[in-house]
Amino acid sequence: MSDITHIDIAVIGAGLGGAAAAALLNKAGFAVHCFEQAPEFTRLGAGIHIGPNVMKIFREIGLEDRLAHIGAHPSHWYSRDGRTGDYLSKIKLGDFAVKEYGAPYITIHRGDMHAEQIGALEPETVHFDYRLTDLQEREDDVLLSFANGKQVAARLVVGADGINSMIREKLLGPEKPRFSGWVGHRALIDMNKLRAGGMEYERCVKWWWEKSRHIMAYATKADGSEYYYVTGVPVEGGWEHDTGFVESSKEEMEAIFGDDAHPMVRGLIDATTEVTKWPFWNRDVLSLWSRGRLCLLGDACHPMRPHMAQGACMAIEDAMILTRALQQTGTGDYRTAFGIYEATRRERATKVQTISNANTWLKQPEDPAWVYAYDPVHAPLQDSVA
Ligand code: FAD
């Protein structure tokens, strides 16, 4: 890396959005490098849904078939009453999604997906152990300084650095994200252990209780051998821990859900071995998506509670639209490109952010086509807001 002093585009953060941005910008012919603070990525215990809206982008990157092969293909998103098991909604996915929305709907381990994303990048363009600590906006470029002592000058900088984004801080000033008052427990479950109880578990089901308390459970592998759940639980007070997550326990799960849980939920709790607890953070809708040579995408720009399963999908959609805007204008006219990007993304990302935070998505029968049928690869770009 020491010989690189000037690059076209620096993507800060190689998370789900940053890795997509790097792949798409590279494919579009831009000289792009991605800088990630972590020394490496590990397979953290969590799943993720990827909608057809984003599988179309993975088709562009060349990963659609691979991810479809690894991930599970739920036939429906079921919503069920957590006590009685009654069905509140049955949203068709599976073959219906392929036919109606133009690509599969998958659920997958996020570590498996991320590993595929990183593996698809040119190795010499991804730089681990590069934590951005400072930046200086100059006449012709931005000088980036990293914790490892390296400096890089980039003509454009994409802040894909997540909810605590340093690029966001540079644009809008320091402001900590707000604790949403909700936590999520996350656990990976061995499906064979679950099946031993004699019940057949649906591949994607959200169990609901009063006050929108819930457990979202789904398969993370094509063969159905791994199952995952994430809860949403409102709590009193703030998040008192210094760490990003803490250990939880089967006992805590029983205390929250056990008393009035359907036998299938009880089975899920019984099969729990390790479970962790995560705070859900939030920010208000941002007033600024870019300034000068800096722009934001994903959680750096529009973090949300995860209840629509579209946070990463929005980050990856951002990456696609940003790439198309830059393709249209070239990097020289980046102001127009950033204006097109914001004009095309703001309304949709804000709508998803709002509904996701409200935690109402697919609880009742509704048509999800506006989310899943959207095609970020071909949808019209809006005129620049600039
Ligand atoms: P991140 O994935 O957070 O990546 C940011 C990256 O930037 C990280 O790798 C970080 O190390 C790096 N970074 C940060 N600061 C610096 C720095 N100074 N220098 C260099 N690198 C830096 N979304 C879905 O689409 N579907 C789901 O089913 C879903 N389920 C979820 C469940 C839960 C419980 C949660 C909490 C979220 C869920 N999401 C889901 C949302 C999704 O995880 C996020 O929206 C997504 O990860 C955002 O991607 P990002 O690239 O913007 O940020």
Side-chain angles (χ1 to χ4, degrees):
M1 191 61 213
S2 56
D3 54 346
I4 296 182
T5 52
H6 281 81
I7 59 174
D8 268 0
I9 305 177
V11 175
I12 307 300
L16 305 179
L24 291 164
L25 287 163
N26 181 274
K27 182 166 178 281
F30 297 107
V32 56
H33 286 258
C34 196
F35 301 92
E36 167 57 47
Q37 66 181 2
E40 62 181 343
F41 289 124
T42 49
R43 192 180 189 263
L44 271 180
I48 194 163
H49 302 227
I50 295 296
N53 46 323
V54 164
M55 288 301 273
K56 291 167 206 159
I57 301 173
F58 281 128
R59 188 176 299 158
E60 279 295 294
I61 299 175
L63 285 178
E64 183 191 20
D65 291 346
R66 182 83 192 121
L67 295 177
H69 178 71
I70 299 171
H73 295 249
S75 66
H76 293 80
W77 168 313
Y78 295 108
S79 277
R80 299 182 68 173
D81 185 294
R83 281 193 200 92
T84 64
D86 290 347
Y87 286 89
L88 310 173
S89 72
K90 296 180 180 183
I91 306 297
K92 283 198 261 179
L93 301 172
D95 292 344
F96 180 85
V98 176
K99 189 161 152 278
E100 293 296 318
Y101 308 138
Y105 188 107
I106 64 162
T107 52
I108 187 167
H109 193 293
R110 64 186 289 150
D112 292 345
M113 178 176 109
H114 196 200
E116 292 295 328
Q117 285 189 265
I118 297 295
L121 298 173
E122 304 286 341
E124 61 277 12
T125 65
V126 199
H127 310 282
F128 288 95
D129 221 349
Y130 271 73
R131 181 165 64 84
L132 183 70
T133 51
D134 197 15
L135 65 81
Q136 195 187 335
E137 296 176 74
R138 308 190 296 194
E139 185 71 19
D140 297 322
D141 58 23
V142 181
L143 183 64
L144 302 167
S145 301
F146 296 93
N148 60 12
K150 302 280 172 49
Q151 287 192 310
V152 173
R155 295 185 64 203
L156 301 180
V157 178
V158 179
D161 47 349
I163 186 149
N164 292 304
S165 167
M166 194 196 149
I167 309 292
R168 194 214 71 91
E169 190 173 314
K170 281 285 170 193
L171 291 177
L172 291 150
E175 189 191 354
K176 287 202 177 310
R178 227 183 19 250
F179 177 54
S180 67
W182 284 64
V183 296
H185 305 79
R186 290 164 144 181
L188 282 174
I189 308 282
D190 181 345
M191 191 54 128
N192 290 329
K193 204 169 166 186
L194 260 188
R195 286 200 183 111
M199 290 177 283
E200 200 50 46
Y201 280 77
E202 284 147 341
R203 286 196 164 205
C204 178
V205 54
K206 188 161 175 178
W207 299 91
W208 295 82
W209 289 263
E210 74 293 342
K211 294 188 183 150
S212 292
R213 213 157 41 98
H214 62 265
I215 298 179
M216 173 96 232
Y218 52 92
T220 49
K221 287 187 177 172
D223 64 5
S225 60
E226 189 178 77
Y227 207 54
Y228 165 76
Y229 69 76
V230 53
T231 73
V233 179
V235 292
E236 301 289 329
W239 177 257
E240 308 299 345
H241 311 279
D242 293 336
T243 47
F245 67 92
V246 293
E247 294 299 321
S248 178
S249 62
K250 191 153 123 176
E251 290 69 33
E252 185 172 347
M253 292 299 297
E254 270 161 9
I256 298 170
F257 297 102
D259 277 351
D260 50 4
H262 184 269
M264 293 193 79
V265 178
R266 283 189 175 282
L268 205 52
I269 297 174
D270 284 347
T272 303
T273 48
E274 286 176 21
V275 53
T276 51
K277 180 163 63 175
W278 301 67
F280 293 153
W281 301 102
N282 230 331
R283 288 187 189 280
D284 292 333
V285 171
L286 286 197
S287 53
L288 192 71
W289 284 49
S290 68
R291 189 189 64 208
R293 297 174 182 276
L294 310 177
C295 78
L296 298 173
L297 71 69
D299 277 9
C301 191
H302 40 67
M304 58 191 85
R305 270 165 47 191
H307 311 313
M308 218 173 140
Q310 279 284 325
C313 290
M314 288 303 108
I316 297 167
E317 283 192 6
D318 285 350
M320 185 75 244
I321 299 298
L322 178 63
T323 301
R324 289 178 58 204
L326 282 165
Q327 267 180 307
Q328 184 168 307
T329 64
T331 48
D333 192 7
Y334 59 87
R335 285 178 202 280
T336 305
F338 289 170
I340 293 171
Y341 165 58
E342 178 176 344
T344 310
R345 292 300 299 150
R346 178 183 277 279
E347 189 182 330
R348 180 170 165 87
T350 305
K351 187 172 173 184
V352 169
Q353 190 181 17
T354 309
I355 296 174
S356 204
N357 287 338
N359 189 21
T360 52
W361 182 241
L362 306 186
K363 183 175 183 182
Q364 307 296 336
E366 67 177 297
D367 184 358
W370 68 271
V371 179
Y372 301 151
Y374 180 72
D375 181 357
V377 184
H378 301 102
L381 298 176
Q382 306 294 317
D383 288 341
S384 171
V385 289

